[in-house]
């Protein structure tokens, strides 16, 4: 059997309430990415949190999304490189439907269970916006999550007992030639969801006679409220079903949603979990959890987010304000993937140089140490927290929320680096950072020059 060794999740700093999008709308909230975030950067953050304190060799990376940044380029390979997981590992992308997150998790379980691999990183990331003016009709939310699946049994968060997938030809919504197609909801519910779920429950019952003994049922489907009769007929009761806490606090997060709901159940100390993920078919995953290895952090994560104050601020975040205005001029800036590859030890992996003689640490290599004049330097991994040494406000450089704050940061453990401040839409957030403030380095999109995005570290207030 495979085990859940660790997990990590990331919700953007900002969230918008339904009352901001429409005063007469629902009473929910939506997590919304900042202007320098995309599915790569939020996946990177979730994966880093998942792999924190984990000293294992990753054999494969699986990346699930329905909102890709690239075409004809593997997101899994790009992320594996950014995380410094080594060359020539197995890297696969999963997409097509919102079931892609559990598709990836199932394959990871089956490969490890078969002894093909020992450790697989499964990442799901989604940033999807509804059309402008239609936000109150959508449950959208941006998020990323990651699971480390391995064959280790001791100190594991949970064990995946089995997984199965049940196909269905009926899809309630899909796109064809760039157009969104929506079938009649009654037909989708009856011919699609109910029909598929009934066959799923019948076949599962032949596999596992103790199916109804699981104390928690997680059903990820827009039709979940319609499933009561089917599950009761199969021997379940209403007390086994969990409440969807993710949608209420962050919106519907696409390929991440079923996995985040699983994390929510793990953090709520559910001992045995049966996860059903329906979308154009159903994935079923059974987990026995180790409650002692799980910390409850999800609810505090939701409560710490910054509320977007106006609809116009929301539009700017989604680049439908200043960026798409008729008088907005794009800027062509120098960008070289070859240079980034050559300098990736410093630009991507944040490795600096330590003087062998006096141990002074530099981010940019010097010909000689400025303290002892030594000429021999060793590579050193720099820390991602530090203290602001100096700062300035830059009004000239184009920005969605000017001015840009530029920081000179002394990193904990040594090294000094110049960075942009991020997650700073509002003036009071810019004022939170001053000389002596503690900051954290986060990986964000630095610029987009028309050919490709460029990423580098920025600073975020702690």
């Amino acid at each position: 059997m495979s085990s859940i060794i660790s997990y990590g999740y990331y919700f953007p700093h900002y969230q918008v309430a339904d009352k901001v999008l429409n005063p007469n709308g629902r009473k929910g909230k939506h997590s919304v990415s900042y202007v320098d975030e995309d599915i790569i950067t939020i996946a990177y953050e979730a994966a880093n949190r998942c792999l924190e304190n984990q000293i294992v060799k990753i054999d494969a990376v699986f990346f699930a999304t329905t909102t890709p940044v690239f075409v004809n380029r593997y997101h899994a390979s790009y992320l594996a490189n950014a995380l410094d997981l080594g060359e020539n590992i197995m890297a696969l992308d999963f997409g097509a439907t919102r079931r892609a997150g559990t598709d990836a998790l199932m394959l990871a379980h089956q490969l490890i269970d078969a002894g093909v691999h020992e450790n697989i990183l499964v990442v799901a990331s989604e940033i999807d916006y509804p059309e402008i003016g239609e936000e109150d009709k959508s449950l959208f939310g941006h998020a990323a999550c990651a699971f480390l699946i391995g064959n280790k049994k001791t100190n594991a968060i949970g064990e995946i007992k089995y997984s199965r997938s049940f196909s269905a030809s009926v899809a309630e919504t899909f796109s064809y030639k760039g157009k969104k197609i929506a079938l009649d909801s009654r037909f989708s519910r009856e011919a699609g969801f109910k029909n598929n779920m009934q066959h799923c429950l019948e076949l599962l019952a032949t596999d596992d006679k103790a199916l109804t003994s699981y104390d928690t049922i997680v059903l990820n489907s827009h039709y979940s409220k319609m499933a009561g009769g089917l599950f009761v007929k199969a021997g379940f009761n209403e007390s086994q079903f969990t409440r969807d806490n993710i949608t209420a606090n962050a919106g519907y997060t696409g390929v991440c949603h079923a996995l985040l709901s699983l994390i929510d159940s793990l953090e709520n100390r559910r001992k045995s979990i049966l996860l059903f993920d329906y979308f154009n078919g159903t994935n079923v995953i059974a987990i026995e959890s180790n409650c002692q290895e799980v910390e409850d952090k999800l609810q505090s994560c939701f409560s710490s987010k910054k509320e977007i104050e106006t609809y116009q601020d929301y539009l700017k975040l989604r680049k439908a304000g200043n960026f798409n205005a008729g008088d907005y001029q794009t800027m062509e800036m120098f960008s070289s993937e070859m240079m980034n590859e050559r300098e990736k030890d410093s630009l991507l992996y944040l490795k600096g140089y330590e003087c062998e003689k006096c141990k002074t640490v530099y981010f940019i290599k010097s010909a000689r140490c400025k303290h002892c004049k030594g000429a021999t330097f060793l590579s050193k991994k720099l820390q991602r927290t530090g203290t602001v040494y100096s700062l300035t406000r830059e009004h000239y450089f184009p920005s969605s929320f000017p001015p840009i704050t530029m920081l000179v940061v002394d990193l904990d453990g040594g090294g000094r680096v110049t960075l942009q401040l991020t997650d700073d839409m509002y003036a009071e957030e810019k004022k939170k950072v001053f000389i002596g403030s503690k900051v954290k380095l986060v990986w964000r999109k630095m610029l987009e020059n028309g050919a490709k995005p460029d990423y580098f570290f920025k600073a975020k207030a702690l």
Side-chain angles (χ1 to χ4, degrees), residues 176-238:
Y176 181 65
K177 294 184 178 180
K179 294 183 179 180
K180 185 177 180 180
I181 310 297
L183 302 181
D184 183 276
S185 59
R186 293 167 298 179
F187 172 75
S188 299
R189 183 181 67 241
E190 298 296 329
F193 174 72
K194 285 191 174 181
N195 182 61
N196 181 250
M197 194 62 62
Q198 184 172 348
H199 282 90
C200 168
L201 291 171
E202 290 172 355
L203 291 170
L204 284 175
T206 63
D207 287 351
D208 188 354
K209 300 300 181 184
L211 188 70
T212 57
S213 66
Y214 282 80
D215 58 29
T216 300
I217 306 298
V218 178
L219 175 55
N220 180 46
S221 169
H222 292 323
Y223 299 117
S224 57
K225 293 181 180 179
M226 313 285 184
L230 292 173
F231 277 82
V232 169
K233 186 177 180 180
F236 295 92
N237 59 70
E238 292 184 3

Side-chain angles (χ1 to χ4, degrees), residues 65-208:
T65 187
T66 62
T67 53
V69 168
F70 304 117
V71 176
N72 290 333
R73 184 172 194 172
Y74 265 97
H75 297 74
S77 301
Y78 197 93
L79 182 64
N81 180 59
L83 294 169
D84 197 13
L85 299 181
E87 297 288 339
N88 304 314
I89 66 173
M90 184 181 187
L92 297 177
D93 281 1
F94 293 76
T97 78
R98 296 169 183 172
R99 200 156 43 102
T102 51
D103 287 344
L105 184 61
M106 285 180 54
L107 181 59
H109 157 64
Q110 291 167 5
L111 288 174
I112 290 172
D113 198 30
V116 177
H117 293 305
E118 293 185 1
N119 295 288
I120 298 176
L121 179 65
V122 175
V123 183
S125 182
E126 199 86 288
I127 295 180
D128 190 21
Y129 283 103
E131 293 182 10
I132 295 174
E134 300 293 320
E135 293 89 357
D136 61 323
K137 301 176 183 178
S138 173
L139 296 174
F140 74 99
H142 306 164
C145 61
F147 283 82
L148 177 58
I149 308 300
N151 58 8
K152 185 181 76 170
K153 304 302 180 188
T154 57
N155 299 321
I157 288 173
E159 184 178 349
I160 301 179
K161 307 298 289 186
Y162 68 82
S163 61
R164 284 199 62 176
S165 185
F166 303 87
S167 65
S169 60
V170 176
E172 51 269 24
T173 61
F174 58 94
S175 294
Y176 181 65
K177 294 184 178 180
K179 294 183 179 180
K180 185 177 180 180
I181 310 297
L183 302 181
D184 183 276
S185 59
R186 293 167 298 179
F187 172 75
S188 299
R189 183 181 67 241
E190 298 296 329
F193 174 72
K194 285 191 174 181
N195 182 61
N196 181 250
M197 194 62 62
Q198 184 172 348
H199 282 90
C200 168
L201 291 171
E202 290 172 355
L203 291 170
L204 284 175
T206 63
D207 287 351
D208 188 354

